[in-house]
């Protein structure tokens, strides 16, 4: 062990670190770390160097043996996956280790087939939890192919959506005897996991850099604030005038600019992070702290940014305001004030992530939703939590201790002398604040807190290959999931779930005799095999089943009816409404007029291919269908490569969310395709082919014609705009094949096409010209 410790210590020195952190030293001196049959939980505060522990261990194995099996490095968020990939690549490069680092997230999936089957060695795959869960359900011995598994930011188990999948990953990997590193923070008590799974916990509660927490409490009348602890940034004050939270933020940021410090402000509202960045720019500009750039400077900056990130200006509709207000966002960016949330195009988010939170970075102040709260190496001086509540389903709830500590953990990381965390509170929330600070949060599986209609589909993932499980097998696996406060299911409830799955023909009672006399054996069948790894509610499954059944009996000329029905799947629609907001009854009248206009519009019929007898039915829809109308309209336009300016004008949904909604809809379309193939496929080859193409079309936002003509199966993120542009060009020439190109509106369309054509490479331009039979000029 001493030899391995010294070898790893030498690598640390090569990376430019003088000494191990206390957590790293404890880990590398622990003999259990080097034993293949010991699974390790590393528990330490943010910035204590947890990432380096499994990575240096893996590189040392590579240096010793020459050939090592691949490692899965699982993280909860796309933004964190990209950052971890770059961080690990940098470590391997500095240590001259010939180890390939691959990423697999929703946007990066070219290597997914190889990852599923582990067709590689000397490789670290940075991957999101959802994909690990899906692959482990599909591939019978998935974790046997991976000697090493890292579950980073395992505190995500506190989330119902991602956390339950993390739990099932851990259970599966332990049974397949991978060596597992579980990376956690001490903000939850982990005894239930350590005891349940026999983990060796290596724990150090010290924080390498001091973090000073400051509560700023505004009185009920909002005319005074009280600041806990003395600090150099803001003082208690009172007056006759209402004190706005934005003014408090401006006071802190003003002091930070004087000291050349960096700040992140958390607000769990996607639209608000943009508005707050704009308002901060206005406040600091009035105080004389920021420069005002000329129109020509803004134009040059805008062109530089958009060209570097392969993004179109139209894709920022709904994010950047139009007219003079739009200039304010660019003024803010140019002065180092930015914003980050899922509403932004992925390309723009990556640009911000690359230029923020690092030494010498362009951006000094960032407003963000929770997307930058978990595990991101921000290295900022100050964290401000502008709102201590976050949405949970249809309600807003106060942050729990784990969430709060992850937020403030972005400040005061390695290389800093001290960090500051400001919690902005209204007086009526001060008691909630004290309770949260003093609460003891026990780690437990959120599976037990799920609605009973959301639990059954997790059971499908317990079955591997074509084998069967006894009821006792299933019960034992479920009982492995820790519960401290949540109530575990009794045997009768689990049997009821299994019987429901049998009734839906996803599972059958197997004929094999159990070792235990009288025990029932279950085997997956039909749709059960297809749906392993897909998690949805029973209600959503039944809705999809009904829509597929109707679709299979109709002519393809009425395909929009199917898309409209799929956009009404409750799970999907509720998530979209939560992201985009609900359509008011007043606004619906405008949406409905636009919707019916597009249905009637002859020039746009390829966007809305609706049988004539159906238009009257859509015209008669009342306001209860408002959100379904809006989303289906946006999705059909997106799938046909429509201009994002038009989509936002008609549906009021910006590009970042349109793409996210499209990916979510594709999840349900995949289930629809499986249903069609398994249950209704005989003689319905055209319908199945249509569903396959529709998935690709909606995932990438490109017309089916482009998919057919150019054989598109996978598009790299940076090429998405090229193929969307090709779709627009094809649509334009298709609509105008027998017309002269004249008139003001037509010339404006042609100007847009010139922008599109610049995005198409020479090879694809030749293919376009060959397909159209004409030169593109």
């Amino acid at each position: 062990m001493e030899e391995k410790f010294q070898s790893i210590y030498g690598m640390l020195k090569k990376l430019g670190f003088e000494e191990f952190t206390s957590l790293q030293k404890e880990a590398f001196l622990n003999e259990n770390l080097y034993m293949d049959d010991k699974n390790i939980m590393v528990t330490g505060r943010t910035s204590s160097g947890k990432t380096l522990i499994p990575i240096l261990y893996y590189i040392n194995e590579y240096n010793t043996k020459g050939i090592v099996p691949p490692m899965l490095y699982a993280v909860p968020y796309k933004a964190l996956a990209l950052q971890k990939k770059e961080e690990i690549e940098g470590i391997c490069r500095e240590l001259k280790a010939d180890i390939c680092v691959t990423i697999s997230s929703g946007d990066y999936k070219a290597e997914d087939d190889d990852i599923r089957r582990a067709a590689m060695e000397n490789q670290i795959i940075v991957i999101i939890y959802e994909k690990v869960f899906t692959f482990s359900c599909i591939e019978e011995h998935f974790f046997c192919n991976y000697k090493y598994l890292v579950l980073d930011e395992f505190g995500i188990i506190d989330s119902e959506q991602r956390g339950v999948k993390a739990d099932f990953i851990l259970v599966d990997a332990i049974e397949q005897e991978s060596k597992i590193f579980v990376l956690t923070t001490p903000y939850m008590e982990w005894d239930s996991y350590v005891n349940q799974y026999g983990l060796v916990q290596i724990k150090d509660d010290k924080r390498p850099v001091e973090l000073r927490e400051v509560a700023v409490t505004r009185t009920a009348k909002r005319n005074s604030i009280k600041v806990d602890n003395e600090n150099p940034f803001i003082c208690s004050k009172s007056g006759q005038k209402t004190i706005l939270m934005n003014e408090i933020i401006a006071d802190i940021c003003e002091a930070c600019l004087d000291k050349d410090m960096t700040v992140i402000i958390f607000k769990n509202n996607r639209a608000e992070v943009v508005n707050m960045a704009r308002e901060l720019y206005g406040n600091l500009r009035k105080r004389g702290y920021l420069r005002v750039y000329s129109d020509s400077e803004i134009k040059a900056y805008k062109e530089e940014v958009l060209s570097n990130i392969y993004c179109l200006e139209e894709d920022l509709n709904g994010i950047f305001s139009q007219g003079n207000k739009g200039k304010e966002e660019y003024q803010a960016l140019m002065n180092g004030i930015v914003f980050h949330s899922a509403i932004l195009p992925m390309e723009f988010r990556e640009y911000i992530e690359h230029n923020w939170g690092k030494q010498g970075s362009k951006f000094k102040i960032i407003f963000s939703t929770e997307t930058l709260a978990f595990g991101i190496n921000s290295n900022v001086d100050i964290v401000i939590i502008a709102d201590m509540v976050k949405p949970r389903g249809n309600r807003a709830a106060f942050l729990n201790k784990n969430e709060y500590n992850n937020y403030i953990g972005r400040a005061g990381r390695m290389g800093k002398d001290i960090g500051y965390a400001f919690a902005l509170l209204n007086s009526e929330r001060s008691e909630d604040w004290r309770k949260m600070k003093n609460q003891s949060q026990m780690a437990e599986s959120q599976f037990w807190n799920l609605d009973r209609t959301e639990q059954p589909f997790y059971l499908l993932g317990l079955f591997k290959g074509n084998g069967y499980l006894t009821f006792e097998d299933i019960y034992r696996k479920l009982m492995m999931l820790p519960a401290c406060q949540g109530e575990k299911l009794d045997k009768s409830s689990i049997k009821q779930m299994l019987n429901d799955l049998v009734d839906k023909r996803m599972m059958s009672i197997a004929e094999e005799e159990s070792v235990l006399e009288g025990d029932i054996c279950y085997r997956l069948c039909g749709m059960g095999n297809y749906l392993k790894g897909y998690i949805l509610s029973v209600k959503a499954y039944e809705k999809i089943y009904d829509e597929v059944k109707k679709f299979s009996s109709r002519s393809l000329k009425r395909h929009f009816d199917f898309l409209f029905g799929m956009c009404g799947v409750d799970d999907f629609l509720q998530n979209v409404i939560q992201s985009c907001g609900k359509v008011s009854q007043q606004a619906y009248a405008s949406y409905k007029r636009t919707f019916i206009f597009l249905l009637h519009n002859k020039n746009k019929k390829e966007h809305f291919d609706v049988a004539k007898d159906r238009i009257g039915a859509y015209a008669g829809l009342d306001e209860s269908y408002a959100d379904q109308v809006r989303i289906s309209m946006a999705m059909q336009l997106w799938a046909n490569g429509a201009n994002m300016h038009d989509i936002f004008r008609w549906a009021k949904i910006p590009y970042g969310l349109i793409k996210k909604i499209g990916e979510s809809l594709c999840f349900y379309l995949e289930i629809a395709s499986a249903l069609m193939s398994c249950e209704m496929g005989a003689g319905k080859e055209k319908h199945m082919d249509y569903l396959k193409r529709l998935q690709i079309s909606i995932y990438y936002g490109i017309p089916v014609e482009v998919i057919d003509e150019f054989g598109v199966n996978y598009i790299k993120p940076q090429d998405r705009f090229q193929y969307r542009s090709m779709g627009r060009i094809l649509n334009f020439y298709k609509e105008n094949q027998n017309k002269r190109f004249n008139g003001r509106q037509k010339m404006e369309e042609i100007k847009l096409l010139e922008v599109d054509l610049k995005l198409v490479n020479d090879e694809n331009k030749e293919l376009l010209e060959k397909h159209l039979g004409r030169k593109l000029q």
Side-chain angles (χ1 to χ4, degrees):
M1 189 183 77
E2 177 64 26
E3 184 181 345
K4 289 183 177 180
F5 178 85
Q6 292 300 331
S7 174
I8 292 171
Y9 182 63
M11 287 193 280
L12 186 86
K13 301 282 277 186
K14 287 180 182 178
L15 291 172
F17 297 100
E18 289 299 319
E19 294 292 338
F20 286 123
T21 65
S22 55
L23 176 66
Q24 290 169 343
K25 186 174 182 180
E26 185 174 340
F28 290 120
L29 284 174
N30 192 315
E31 62 181 9
N32 290 294
L33 183 77
Y34 307 101
M35 296 181 182
D36 290 342
D37 61 343
K38 298 294 184 183
N39 295 317
I40 310 297
M41 175 178 277
V42 180
T43 304
R45 292 180 178 270
T46 50
S47 80
S48 57
K50 292 189 293 291
T51 298
L52 271 178
I53 293 171
I55 298 305
L56 292 184
Y57 173 91
Y58 185 81
I59 294 174
N60 190 61
E61 289 288 289
Y62 163 78
N63 289 339
T64 304
K65 299 173 182 176
I67 296 177
V68 286
M71 167 186 275
L72 280 176
Y73 194 105
V75 297
Y77 295 111
K78 293 179 186 178
L80 182 54
L82 186 65
Q83 189 181 83
K84 285 296 178 185
K85 175 184 183 290
E86 293 176 349
E87 180 185 351
I88 295 169
E89 276 181 329
I91 293 168
C92 293
R93 187 167 52 249
E94 287 293 315
L95 298 177
K96 295 181 171 54
D98 189 17
I99 294 170
C100 178
V101 184
T102 305
I103 185 171
S104 179
S105 69
D107 298 302
Y108 299 92
K109 57 180 187 175
E111 313 292 335
D112 280 2
D113 284 342
D114 286 341
I115 291 169
R116 278 178 55 187
R117 296 171 178 84
M120 68 288 282
E121 293 169 329
N122 298 346
Q123 184 162 184
I124 298 173
I125 298 102
V126 182
I127 186 170
I128 56 175
Y129 275 108
E130 285 92 338
K131 283 200 166 186
V132 180
F133 175 79
T134 300
F135 293 164
S136 66
C137 291
I138 295 170
E139 297 296 329
E140 183 175 359
H141 303 294
F142 179 68
F143 292 112
C144 293
N145 298 319
Y146 290 92
K147 174 76 173 174
Y148 310 103
L149 170 67
V150 180
L151 298 174
D152 199 356
E153 293 299 327
F154 197 68
I156 199 67
I157 60 152
D158 200 30
S159 158
E160 287 186 0
Q161 285 186 329
R162 291 181 173 89
V164 179
K165 292 176 182 176
D167 277 320
F168 277 83
I169 289 168
L170 182 57
V171 170
D172 210 359
I174 283 175
E175 290 205 336
Q176 294 187 44
E177 300 182 350
S178 297
K179 183 170 179 64
I180 305 165
F181 297 84
V182 183
L183 309 187
T184 66
T185 53
Y187 313 133
M188 287 195 278
E189 298 294 332
W190 291 100
D191 292 353
S192 58
Y193 278 81
V194 171
N195 297 331
Q196 184 75 13
Y197 300 117
L199 304 175
V200 176
Q201 187 177 32
I202 299 171
K203 183 177 180 179
D204 188 282
D205 206 22
K206 300 183 190 71
R207 202 178 196 282
V209 177
E210 181 190 351
L211 180 64
R212 192 172 298 173
E213 298 177 49
V214 183
V216 181
T217 308
R218 193 167 57 157
T219 60
K221 291 184 178 180
R222 311 296 194 248
N223 62 354
S224 64
I225 61 169
K226 178 178 179 295
V227 182
D228 293 348
N229 301 330
E230 290 185 13
N231 69 85
F233 302 101
I234 187 172
C235 299
S236 299
K237 62 181 179 180
S238 62
Q240 302 298 317
K241 191 176 164 185
T242 299
I243 299 173
L244 302 175
M245 284 296 188
N246 285 345
E247 291 172 352
I248 298 171
I249 292 170
D251 289 343
I252 298 171
C253 290
E254 179 182 333
C256 293
L257 289 174
D258 283 338
K259 299 173 184 295
D260 193 28
M261 300 176 101
T262 52
V263 188
I264 181 169
I265 302 108
F266 286 114
K267 174 82 173 181
N268 279 305
N269 183 302
R270 291 165 178 167
E272 275 299 295
V273 296
V274 182
N275 294 334
M276 291 174 77
R278 188 192 304 125
E279 288 182 23
L280 178 65
Y281 162 74
N283 272 329
L284 294 180
R285 184 195 63 206
K286 288 174 186 174
R287 301 181 189 193
Y289 273 85
L290 302 180
R291 178 181 167 185
V292 178
Y293 290 89
S294 67
D295 287 352
S296 60
E297 287 174 312
I298 292 173
K299 183 180 178 183
Y301 175 76
K302 186 191 300 184
E303 289 175 354
E304 177 192 353
V305 169
L306 294 176
S307 63
N308 285 339
I309 63 175
Y310 304 100
C311 197
L312 303 179
E313 186 172 4
E314 68 176 70
D315 296 315
L316 299 177
N317 274 298
I319 304 164
F320 283 61
S321 305
Q322 304 303 305
N324 288 329
K325 279 191 175 180
K327 294 176 184 176
E328 289 186 359
E329 281 108 7
Y330 281 107
Q331 292 277 14
L333 288 171
M334 295 170 78
N335 277 285
I337 301 171
V338 290
F339 38 86
H340 187 284
S341 80
I343 203 172
L344 289 171
M346 181 201 71
E347 296 79 7
F348 206 90
R349 292 203 306 269
E350 289 183 0
Y351 169 71
I352 290 168
E353 290 157 17
H354 281 297
N355 291 283
W356 165 79
K358 300 172 185 174
Q359 194 71 29
S361 60
K362 296 179 183 179
F363 303 133
K364 301 295 183 184
I365 300 171
I366 185 166
F367 289 83
S368 177
T369 57
E370 199 175 62
T371 51
L372 293 181
F374 282 84
I376 299 292
N377 292 332
S378 62
N379 209 29
V380 297
D381 298 285
I382 291 175
V383 166
I384 303 172
I385 305 178
D387 193 348
M388 292 296 295
V389 299
K390 65 177 285 187
R392 297 191 206 278
N394 295 321
R395 63 187 179 89
F398 205 80
L399 296 179
N400 64 38
K401 191 172 184 178
N402 181 51
E403 291 164 336
Y404 167 74
N405 279 290
N406 269 295
Y407 281 38
I408 67 173
R410 302 311 105 205
R413 297 171 73 87
M414 293 291 286
K416 301 287 184 181
D417 296 324
I418 188 173
Y420 293 87
F422 289 84
L424 307 190
L425 301 162
N426 289 322
S427 57
E428 56 267 29
R429 286 290 196 179
S430 57
E431 184 59 29
D432 293 326
W433 158 262
R434 280 191 289 273
K435 284 181 180 178
M436 181 273 292
K437 290 281 290 175
N438 294 321
Q439 77 180 158
S440 177
Q441 190 173 351
M442 306 296 291
E444 65 175 338
S445 174
Q446 292 300 311
F447 176 79
W448 308 111
N449 298 319
L450 292 176
D451 184 272
R452 292 294 183 261
T453 67
E454 297 176 303
Q455 292 172 327
F457 281 85
Y458 282 100
L459 273 58
L460 301 179
L462 300 177
F463 290 79
K464 305 302 175 185
N466 295 316
Y468 68 89
L469 290 175
T470 68
F471 174 79
E472 289 299 327
D473 289 333
I474 296 168
Y475 182 73
R476 176 184 57 80
K477 286 173 180 281
L478 289 179
M479 291 305 110
M480 289 178 70
L481 303 175
C484 301
Q485 299 169 352
E487 184 179 342
K488 288 192 176 185
L489 295 172
D490 56 30
K491 287 190 174 184
S492 62
S493 297
I494 296 172
K495 280 184 179 176
Q496 184 58 55
M497 279 197 286
L498 293 168
N499 290 337
D500 289 342
L501 292 170
V502 171
D503 290 342
K504 287 180 169 51
R505 301 195 300 279
M506 293 185 199
M507 196 178 284
S508 64
I509 296 176
E511 295 178 359
E512 288 84 354
E513 291 186 7
S514 169
V515 175
L516 298 174
E517 185 177 349
D519 196 6
I520 302 173
C521 302
Y522 295 90
R523 187 196 299 278
L524 294 189
C525 63
M527 280 304 298
N529 280 310
Y530 277 98
L531 292 181
K532 282 194 298 185
Y534 291 97
I535 301 302
L536 69 164
S537 71
V538 173
K539 186 178 178 182
Y541 173 78
E542 290 172 346
K543 170 69 172 174
I544 296 169
Y545 190 96
D546 288 342
E547 291 301 326
V548 171
K549 193 172 182 179
K550 286 187 282 187
F551 173 63
S552 67
S553 64
R554 291 173 178 160
S555 163
L556 276 176
K557 289 183 179 178
R558 289 175 58 174
H559 72 264
F560 182 73
D561 288 353
F562 171 72
L563 181 63
F564 184 78
M566 290 297 292
C567 286
V569 174
D570 189 62
D571 291 10
F572 170 75
L573 194 58
Q574 290 309 310
N575 286 334
V576 173
I577 292 171
Q578 189 173 323
S579 296
C580 304
K582 195 167 180 64
V583 177
S584 67
Q585 290 187 17
Q586 185 178 6
Y588 178 53
S590 174
Y591 279 123
K592 191 172 176 182
R593 281 195 298 272
T594 304
F595 183 67
I596 301 305
F597 166 75
L598 289 171
L599 289 176
H600 278 286
N601 189 333
K602 189 169 68 174
N603 288 335
K604 299 290 182 184
K605 66 181 181 182
E606 72 278 6
H607 294 321
F608 288 86
D609 190 1
V610 182
K612 290 181 181 179
D613 65 321
R614 297 291 299 148
I615 291 178
Y618 286 113
L621 295 174
D622 63 29
E623 63 271 7
S624 65
Y625 288 91
D627 294 295
Q628 194 173 342
V629 165
R630 174 195 187 193
I631 301 307
S632 56
M633 178 173 67
M635 285 295 96
Q636 184 72 77
L637 287 166
W638 162 252
N640 281 279
N643 186 292
M644 277 308 306
H645 174 76
D646 289 338
I647 297 178
F648 181 74
R649 178 162 59 90
W650 288 327
K652 295 294 183 288
I653 307 173
Y655 167 73
L657 286 182
I658 282 285
K659 180 179 172 296
K660 189 180 179 74
I661 293 166
E663 289 179 7
S664 297
L665 183 57
C666 280
F667 168 73
Y668 295 95
L669 289 173
E670 283 185 34
I671 295 167
S673 295
L675 274 167
M676 173 68 78
S677 175
C678 186
E679 301 273 311
M680 308 153 197
K684 296 294 179 183
E685 289 76 12
K686 288 184 178 179
H687 286 72
M688 289 190 289
D689 183 57
Y690 169 77
L691 286 184
K692 181 180 177 182
R693 292 182 299 157
L694 182 63
Q695 285 179 60
I696 300 173
S697 178
I698 286 182
Y699 191 91
Y700 294 112
I702 58 176
V704 169
E705 188 176 0
V706 174
I707 295 167
D708 291 343
E709 180 62 25
F710 304 107
V712 175
N713 289 310
Y714 169 74
I715 296 175
K716 293 178 181 177
Q718 61 267 31
D719 290 336
R720 182 184 297 115
F721 293 98
Q722 179 180 182
Y723 283 94
R724 280 179 55 210
S725 296
M726 291 164 69
R728 293 177 198 169
I729 293 167
L730 286 175
N731 283 341
F732 178 83
Y733 278 97
K734 183 179 176 182
E735 291 172 15
N736 297 278
Q737 55 187 340
N738 298 318
K739 299 177 185 176
R740 292 178 178 273
F741 295 162
N742 53 28
R744 181 178 174 182
Q745 184 178 354
K746 200 57 62 182
M747 293 311 294
E748 286 179 0
E749 282 191 68
I750 290 172
K751 278 187 178 181
L752 284 173
L753 289 180
E754 287 176 356
V755 175
D756 285 324
L757 195 56
K758 288 177 182 178
L759 295 170
V760 181
N761 63 29
D762 291 341
E763 181 182 354
N764 280 332
K765 186 177 176 182
E766 286 181 18
L767 291 173
L768 265 177
E769 290 177 337
K770 183 178 178 181
H771 176 70
L772 291 167
R774 65 188 303 166
K775 294 291 278 185
L776 296 173
Q777 307 178 15

